[in-house]
Amino acid sequence: MSEQRHFYRKKLTSTGYLILPSGEERKFSLLDLSLRGLQAEFDTNPGLQPEQILRINLPDQSVEGLVTVVRVTPQPEGTCHIGFQINRMDGVGDNTYRFRDDDE
């Protein structure tokens, strides 16, 4: 299956936090980031399902917002890669960045 990418993806290594509906935070490694999405690596499968909407915090980029799970890919070594589509992202602190999906 081939993917069509509309936006450049920046490879990077950074830490992010997924905020579950219960308020619990799950730490992840940010693998790449684009205008409309990101890929995260979790130490273990966090049990997420496609189309699930969750909050994330990316402190190194000073942004937080809402994302939708689009892909869950368990890795042979036990980690799990999750692809997220960005629905809404807001800057934190001095960062004035703001993004809203066209569908909202």
Side-chain angles (χ1 to χ4, degrees):
M1 178 168 91
S2 68
E3 289 187 54
Q4 253 188 343
R5 302 242 187 239
H6 297 283
F7 300 100
Y8 171 75
R9 286 186 172 253
K10 172 68 176 165
K11 298 266 186 217
L12 58 101
T13 304
S14 180
T15 299
Y17 298 91
L18 177 72
I19 297 106
L20 299 173
S22 65
E24 175 189 355
E25 289 186 354
R26 295 286 310 269
K27 185 177 177 179
F28 63 83
S29 295
L30 184 60
L31 301 178
D32 64 47
L33 179 65
S34 76
L35 178 62
R36 299 292 299 261
L38 61 98
Q39 182 173 210
E41 181 178 63
F42 290 82
D43 289 339
T44 60
N45 191 330
L48 303 178
Q49 300 297 319
E51 299 186 23
Q52 194 172 0
I53 297 173
L54 299 157
R55 290 180 35 229
I56 62 165
N57 181 6
L58 304 175
D60 292 346
Q61 283 70 40
S62 299
V63 292
E64 59 186 25
L66 291 177
V67 294
T68 300
V69 176
V70 293
R71 184 174 39 265
V72 178
T73 311
Q75 301 298 300
E77 65 276 2
T79 62
C80 188
H81 289 184
I82 308 289
F84 293 103
Q85 175 183 316
I86 298 172
N87 302 335
R88 183 174 79 210
M89 200 63 69
D90 292 300
V92 177
D94 292 336
N95 184 353
T96 59
Y97 178 79
R98 184 174 181 194
F99 170 80
R100 299 289 182 266
D101 189 309
D102 295 334
D103 298 332
E104 282 191 21

